Amino acid sequence: MTIQDKPTGVALWRQVADGIERGIADGRFPAGEKLPGETDIAETYRVNRHTVRRALATLAERGLVRAERGSGTYVEAPKLSYPLRSRTRFSEIVGAGGREPRGQLIGSLIEPATRELAKNLGLKTGAPLLRLDALRFADRTPICVATNWLSAERFAEAAPIYERVRSMTKMLAHYGIKDYRRRSTRVTAAIVDASDAAKLDLALGRPILIVDSTDVDADGTPLLTSRSRFAAERVEFVVENG
Amino acid sequence: MTIQDKPTGVALWRQVADGIERGIADGRFPAGEKLPGETDIAETYRVNRHTVRRALATLAERGLVRAERGSGTYVEAPKLSYPLRSRTRFSEIVGAGGREPRGQLIGSLIEPATRELAKNLGLKTGAPLLRLDALRFADRTPICVATNWLSAERFAEAAPIYERVRSMTKMLAHYGIKDYRRRSTRVTAAIVDASDAAKLDLALGRPILIVDSTDVDADGTPLLTSRSRFAAERVEFVVENG
DNA sequence: TCAAGTTGTCTATATTGTTAGACAACTTGA
DNA sequence: TCAAGTTGTCTAACAATATAGACAACTTGA
């Protein structure tokens, strides 16, 4: 009992947890930054280190902080709230959260359509597809790896264009496509593989959200189909009902 | 552990005490009336009678209730008596009632002065104003939401300072303002809107008291102008004549 | 490679919170 | 006067909270 001497009915660990949470909320402890060490926190709150640990444990359970043994405890970025609606644009969604969207082309190649890809795009199995692999960021934090398949015939120059404009929406605009919408969205989850882990700067064994989707133009003609892998700890999908 | 099953860090007696205090504040337990018996309270909160007793003890210590052996426990606390005089300090007024004043900054932004605000503050229309929205408590009971406007140039750092000291008076003291007084006060009433209802923990449709005021320093220079919305059921303004 | 600094885990002890039961002291109204 | 209902007080047991110290496991940078 050092914060106040009279019993308040509010446990010390709770007071410490609330104090730290307030610090995160108001930016005294920015996302990604290291918190003071447990010993330091214990000292500033004049409380035992175990009490601080309990406070941090509740915050970690809620995903607000992440402890790294031997290194420190870090503020987790608040999850990006990602609405799943028919008009889904990564750049708009990220921008709406006050963060800067960024895309980076990490690979492009031509490959023949599997049966499923062909079905999604309304093409024949084996038709040539342009595959674009992109890494997408909110500010400097990688959010997802997206693999997009488009008709190689219709969108022959898509790769260099995407590389320049760094936005799917703008790239499609180059082909005269003013608007498009999501025809289908399927969400599942898995454990990240080594390749994606490296791209997303994610520890092995962490969960990812996998979104399979197909975008169509105003007439319903398929434009592209894609599989995106999101770092689960950085996003939160919001399904809007109604 | 019956109110919730996970440990919350808030003692049961404290939760009961807060619940009863809320009931007194919002009129479910009017001043002078008898509370339900300790056994009844224990039953409604699904808690031991001793726990209720501890809750009542803390309320009694603060003068909110008075226990009469053999008869019952009665509500003491009348509405917060809030004198409207030229030297009006929320913290002093609440403190004088034996309750603990508290302030919480709920928002701050820069906005241009409307004609009326400019007039109150002796500035030009459109001048940059710092707007501070604060929620003020007596103990744990929200009393009013106050929107304060100050010159953004003169009080550039007011928001973080207020956040720290949680008192308008102390914040102004940081700017070397030792004393100030109320130049004008206007009182009206309305029905609470949804936003204020949530902040004040007030049911929709309940009345609020609206106070528009301007504070000036010893020389008569305007310092801040504000609009406060009080939960009508929790305060009683006292106008002292003479 | 090593030292310093970090989080993770264990044991132990004291204090506070919560429940349970019993009975005393008192008030109220029939 | 008496029964019912109230608050006051006591003992007892257990759970949750808090402190203390020691050491392991790990990361970082010199």
Side-chain angles (χ1 to χ4, degrees):
Chain A
M1 285 297 166
T2 345
I3 294 179
Q4 53 270 312
D5 292 328
K6 279 187 196 170
T8 59
V10 180
L12 284 180
W13 64 263
R14 175 65 181 275
Q15 299 180 45
V16 174
D18 288 349
I20 295 171
E21 183 173 359
R22 187 140 14 95
I24 292 172
D26 68 17
R28 285 204 312 280
F29 301 134
E33 291 295 296
K34 194 160 95 166
L35 287 180
E38 293 172 351
T39 318
D40 289 347
I41 298 177
E43 201 169 280
T44 66
Y45 282 94
R46 296 169 188 284
V47 120
N48 192 276
R49 179 175 158 236
H50 291 293
T51 306
V52 173
R53 284 183 59 71
R54 171 145 196 197
L56 290 175
T58 67
L59 296 177
E61 195 178 359
R62 288 171 41 206
L64 267 72
V65 302
R66 161 184 40 89
E68 289 187 6
R69 174 184 241 175
S71 174
T73 303
Y74 298 82
V75 177
E76 285 279 29
K79 288 188 176 180
L80 177 65
S81 182
Y82 201 99
L84 295 180
R85 23 169 206 254
S86 77
R87 217 175 156 288
T88 292
R89 303 284 185 275
F90 182 84
S91 39
E92 286 180 16
I93 289 167
V94 172
R99 305 173 73 180
E100 175 152 339
R102 217 161 51 85
Q104 179 189 331
L105 187 64
I106 54 179
S108 75
L109 56 95
I110 306 287
E111 60 183 15
T114 63
R115 211 174 53 186
E116 189 171 8
L117 289 176
K119 185 179 146 207
N120 288 344
L121 290 169
L123 300 173
K124 289 190 180 132
T125 301
L129 298 184
L130 173 64
R131 169 177 157 174
L132 295 179
D133 286 290
L135 185 53
R136 292 166 142 178
F137 297 82
D139 294 327
R140 313 189 94 72
T141 308
I143 298 299
C144 76
V145 185
T147 302
N148 305 277
W149 288 271
L150 306 87
S151 161
E153 288 172 2
R154 181 169 179 191
F155 300 101
E157 296 302 303
I161 296 175
Y162 181 85
E163 182 126 47
R164 206 171 66 240
V165 299
R166 288 161 181 267
S167 151
M168 226 19 105
T169 306
K170 288 179 186 164
M171 186 272 282
L172 290 173
H174 273 262
Y175 284 95
I177 294 160
K178 297 181 293 288
D179 203 7
Y180 63 98
R181 61 188 164 81
R182 192 139 288 190
R183 184 178 66 186
S184 66
T185 305
R186 284 182 305 155
V187 180
T188 179
I191 298 300
V192 69
D193 65 26
S195 160
D196 284 348
K199 293 176 184 121
L200 291 169
D201 191 24
L202 208 53
L204 289 175
R206 315 248 17 169
I208 54 170
L209 287 157
I210 300 177
V211 178
D212 286 313
S213 62
T214 301
D215 289 316
V216 298
D217 68 12
D219 302 319
T221 309
L223 299 172
L224 65 88
T225 188
S226 65
R227 163 166 287 203
S228 304
R229 288 87 75 200
F230 289 79
E233 63 199 25
R234 294 174 201 153
V235 295
E236 186 178 46
F237 292 143
V238 179
V239 179
E240 289 155 341
N241 301 313
Chain B
M1 284 295 165
T2 345
I3 293 179
Q4 55 270 313
D5 293 328
K6 280 188 195 168
T8 57
V10 180
L12 282 180
W13 64 262
R14 177 62 180 273
Q15 300 180 44
V16 173
D18 288 347
I20 295 171
E21 182 175 358
R22 187 66 45 81
I24 293 171
D26 67 17
R28 285 204 313 280
F29 302 134
E33 292 294 295
K34 193 161 96 168
L35 286 180
E38 293 172 351
T39 318
D40 289 347
I41 298 176
E43 201 169 281
T44 66
Y45 283 93
R46 296 171 187 282
V47 121
N48 193 275
R49 178 175 157 234
H50 291 292
T51 306
V52 173
R53 283 183 60 70
R54 175 149 192 194
L56 291 174
T58 68
L59 296 178
E61 194 180 0
R62 287 170 38 206
L64 266 70
V65 302
R66 162 185 38 91
E68 290 186 5
R69 174 184 239 176
S71 173
T73 304
Y74 298 84
V75 177
E76 279 280 40
K79 292 182 175 179
L80 177 63
S81 182
Y82 201 99
L84 295 178
R85 22 169 208 254
S86 77
R87 214 173 159 290
T88 292
R89 304 284 185 275
F90 182 85
S91 37
E92 285 179 16
I93 290 167
V94 171
R99 304 173 74 179
E100 174 153 339
R102 214 160 54 84
Q104 179 189 334
L105 186 64
I106 54 179
S108 75
L109 54 95
I110 307 286
E111 60 181 16
T114 63
R115 213 175 50 190
E116 189 172 6
L117 288 175
K119 185 179 145 209
N120 289 343
L121 290 170
L123 300 172
K124 289 193 179 126
T125 301
L129 297 185
L130 173 63
R131 170 178 158 175
L132 294 180
D133 286 291
L135 185 53
R136 290 166 144 179
F137 298 81
D139 293 328
R140 306 188 88 72
T141 308
I143 299 297
C144 77
V145 185
T147 303
N148 305 277
W149 289 272
L150 307 86
S151 161
E153 288 172 2
R154 179 166 181 196
F155 300 101
E157 295 303 304
I161 296 176
Y162 182 86
E163 181 127 49
R164 208 173 63 239
V165 300
R166 287 162 184 266
S167 152
M168 234 3 117
T169 307
K170 287 180 188 164
M171 187 273 282
L172 290 172
H174 271 259
Y175 284 94
I177 294 159
K178 297 179 293 287
D179 203 6
Y180 62 98
R181 63 191 164 80
R182 192 140 287 190
R183 184 177 68 188
S184 67
T185 305
R186 285 181 304 156
V187 180
T188 179
I191 298 299
V192 70
D193 65 25
S195 161
D196 284 349
K199 292 176 186 121
L200 292 169
D201 193 22
L202 208 55
L204 287 174
R206 316 242 23 164
I208 54 170
L209 288 158
I210 299 178
V211 178
D212 286 313
S213 62
T214 301
D215 288 315
V216 299
D217 68 12
D219 303 320
T221 308
L223 299 173
L224 65 89
T225 188
S226 66
R227 162 164 289 202
S228 304
R229 289 88 75 202
F230 288 79
E233 64 199 25
R234 295 174 201 154
V235 295
E236 186 178 45
F237 291 144
V238 179
V239 180
E240 289 155 341
N241 300 313

